[in-house]
Amino acid sequence: MNKNLLLCCACLSIFIISCKTFGGVPKETAPLDYSSEDVVKNEILRITELKQTEPVEAYWRALLLGKEEVIEECAAYLSDCADSSVEAKDYVSACRYLSSLETTGRNAKNLSFEKINELFMNDVPGFAENACAPSNISECVKATVTIIVDKGIKITYGTGIPDKVLGSGFFIDKRGYLITNHHVISDMVDPAFEGYSRLYIKLSGNEDDLIPAKVIGWDSEMDLALLKTEIVPEFVFSLGSSEDLSVGDKINVIGAPLGLESSLSEGVVSNTKRKLFSSGDVFQIDAPVNSGNSGGPCIDKNRKVQAVVFAGVLQSQGLNFAIPVEYLKQELPFLYSGGAYNHSWTGCYGHTKRENGKKTGVEVQYVMPGSSSRLNGFRGGEVIQKVNGKTVTTLEKFQSELRNYTPGTIVQLEYLNSFGSSEKSFMYLSKRSKNPSLEIYESDLIENSFLPLFGMQLVPASTSQRNTYKITSVIENTDAFEMKFSENDPVVIKKIKIDEENEYILAQIVTRRHKKNVIDVVMVLGSSFDGPNYF
């Protein structure tokens, strides 16, 4: 969730903060200089070593190097990896290898991405033709379950009481697969959790029986999880299409609010584009939601699941949120493959590009040191317009396309460079950082990191005072823009604090404002560890 904090005061007497060197140790990684023989030799050695652990990245580096014999060797090895993955029924890896080869104009031996992907998708729960779909609301309730995570006993004021997490879920497959929120079952998959935990479900109409269940796959960022239980459900939900749902449409929510199993509530869609996730919008609904509803289905008039309930605002009536089913459908193949689902990214920060009121692509405004974008030659100013031939006019559409690919996949980007010329480039998608802002702060110079953190580009303004800067540009719709900063404003960075508990970076700065007289103003700027503009 984007929780930007921005405090301003004319006088700040006390600011309790941990001192730290401004910025981390720079690791400015530029495209390699292939005109140097030593660089080429070292890169070939690196590719050879990398091929054993991450063959797609090795192949991508070979493409950057441009030596045909190295490229062919890596492509052949990647083809063999695809063969082995298919034999092991590791279809996610096989599709990643085959997609990367075909995107770059090469084919694997006797295999195609389309055929292997079709083979894989035929087995993924939630996509098969559903003969057990509910025909009325009563049957919808029977397709919904109560989720229980039993964590044993906890001691409160010297008394032992049951420690349980309650949530909701719903069946999507006759084989016993069901959906809930990640936060409901997070203790079951958190390696840092050291206590006792067991996972059960309760069926509607049979609340006395606890049925064991297990976690198959989960995504902490999108708050989704796929579970399985060894029963054959009577009814199974079909997945709808959230694109057909509009503001004002009626919906029903089914779950176990406050532990009251099989509860049904009604409401409407209040908004379809609330930005609570780092990538992607969620629905705002006014149907009553309480603790225990998390993971329950949000269904339309045709009794199809359109969203997954995941949050409500305490003490705020009718202010609740649900995850669009489109995200679930995108992720189901990866959740079904098992384990944690990691999101892909290019290591960039930016916004939707607008020209004459028209959205024309995704403008790259910052490139993270050491990222695949930096190695690929991106420096900022590029405007991404297509991913593997699919047009992306907004940042949201670009992020949606990235969700179709797992980390370790090569895609082709079409973009306008900083001079306005059209270019194409093969981009290696790496694993998205859990805390992009923090990683940028720790790895880049402070004057560079202030752009993605707060929306202002800085340059040093003094050779003797290293914490004194000048603003050279301000990005629209950022904290700096909202606070009316402008070019040439002076900025003195006094302190930086890393708030691990609340996941914020706080910067105490001094600037000058002209209001009749020139006065110094002390401000505290805040940036969350993550945000919706990283991609």
Side-chain angles (χ1 to χ4, degrees), residues 1-2 219 221-223 274-282 323-324 327 330-331 341 343-345 395-403 432 530-535:
M1 184 183 294
N2 185 15
D219 176 5
E221 185 174 320
M222 283 296 180
D223 201 10
R274 292 300 185 203
K275 294 187 179 299
L276 299 185
F277 287 158
S278 58
S279 63
D281 300 326
V282 300
I323 305 161
Y327 299 160
Q330 274 187 307
E331 295 196 3
Y341 171 59
H343 288 251
S344 299
W345 79 329
L395 176 57
E396 291 76 18
K397 288 183 178 180
F398 181 66
Q399 290 171 329
S400 178
E401 282 302 317
L402 290 188
R403 282 194 292 272
R432 193 183 194 279
D530 199 356
N533 295 99
Y534 295 109
F535 55 88

Side-chain angles (χ1 to χ4, degrees), residues 211-228:
I211 301 172
K214 60 182 178 180
V215 182
I216 302 298
W218 64 93
D219 176 5
S220 59
E221 185 174 320
M222 283 296 180
D223 201 10
L224 293 169
L226 177 68
L227 314 183
K228 190 178 190 305

Side-chain angles (χ1 to χ4, degrees), residues 169-235:
F170 56 94
F171 286 109
I172 61 168
D173 190 276
K174 287 289 287 183
R175 292 171 291 176
Y177 288 99
L178 60 148
I179 297 298
T180 188
N181 287 143
H182 166 263
H183 76 259
V184 172
I185 54 84
S186 59
D187 288 331
M188 300 295 301
V189 296
D190 184 359
F193 180 72
E194 297 179 349
Y196 163 96
S197 63
R198 294 289 175 86
L199 179 62
Y200 302 97
I201 67 166
K202 285 184 181 180
L203 299 177
S204 175
N206 189 17
E207 286 81 7
D208 294 331
D209 292 339
L210 294 178
I211 301 172
K214 60 182 178 180
V215 182
I216 302 298
W218 64 93
D219 176 5
S220 59
E221 185 174 320
M222 283 296 180
D223 201 10
L224 293 169
L226 177 68
L227 314 183
K228 190 178 190 305
T229 184
E230 298 304 319
I231 64 169
V232 178
E234 186 177 0
F235 298 100

Side-chain angles (χ1 to χ4, degrees), residues 202-367:
K202 285 184 181 180
L203 299 177
S204 175
N206 189 17
E207 286 81 7
D208 294 331
D209 292 339
L210 294 178
I211 301 172
K214 60 182 178 180
V215 182
I216 302 298
W218 64 93
D219 176 5
S220 59
E221 185 174 320
M222 283 296 180
D223 201 10
L224 293 169
L226 177 68
L227 314 183
K228 190 178 190 305
T229 184
E230 298 304 319
I231 64 169
V232 178
E234 186 177 0
F235 298 100
V236 170
F237 278 112
S238 296
L239 303 181
S241 175
S242 304
E243 294 177 352
D244 297 332
L245 208 60
S246 303
V247 172
D249 286 350
K250 290 184 178 181
I251 47 91
N252 288 104
V253 169
I254 308 173
L258 304 177
L260 300 174
E261 291 95 347
S262 307
S263 295
L264 174 74
S265 60
E266 185 180 55
V268 299
V269 178
S270 304
N271 193 288
T272 60
K273 293 188 179 298
R274 292 300 185 203
K275 294 187 179 299
L276 299 185
F277 287 158
S278 58
S279 63
D281 300 326
V282 300
F283 291 165
Q284 178 186 329
I285 60 175
D286 76 344
V289 167
N290 292 282
S291 175
N293 272 115
S294 293
C298 178
I299 60 177
D300 64 10
K301 63 182 180 181
N302 297 315
R303 299 171 299 281
K304 291 186 177 183
V305 175
Q306 294 289 7
V308 183
V309 176
F310 80 99
V313 178
L314 295 176
Q315 301 177 342
S316 295
Q317 186 175 2
L319 191 56
N320 306 305
F321 304 96
I323 305 161
V325 74
E326 302 301 337
Y327 299 160
L328 173 60
K329 292 195 294 187
Q330 274 187 307
E331 295 196 3
L332 267 174
F334 308 120
L335 298 179
Y336 180 59
S337 69
Y341 171 59
N342 297 306
H343 288 251
S344 299
W345 79 329
T346 65
C348 294
Y349 166 94
H351 289 76
T352 297
K353 178 74 172 178
R354 290 174 172 84
E355 292 182 316
N356 300 320
K358 185 180 180 181
K359 299 172 183 178
T360 60
V362 181
E363 183 177 8
V364 177
Q365 293 163 314
Y366 172 86
V367 183

Side-chain angles (χ1 to χ4, degrees), residues 89 91 117-128 173 175 177 332-333 336:
K89 295 186 177 181
Y91 296 120
N117 188 56
E118 182 181 357
L119 179 65
F120 177 40
M121 293 297 289
N122 285 339
D123 195 47
V124 175
F127 294 115
D173 190 276
R175 292 171 291 176
Y177 288 99
L332 267 174
Y336 180 59

Side-chain angles (χ1 to χ4, degrees), residues 46-63:
R46 183 191 310 207
I47 289 170
T48 302
E49 294 173 348
L50 191 60
K51 192 169 63 175
Q52 305 302 317
T53 56
E54 184 40 70
V56 179
E57 184 177 358
Y59 175 52
W60 174 68
R61 284 182 171 271
L63 292 171

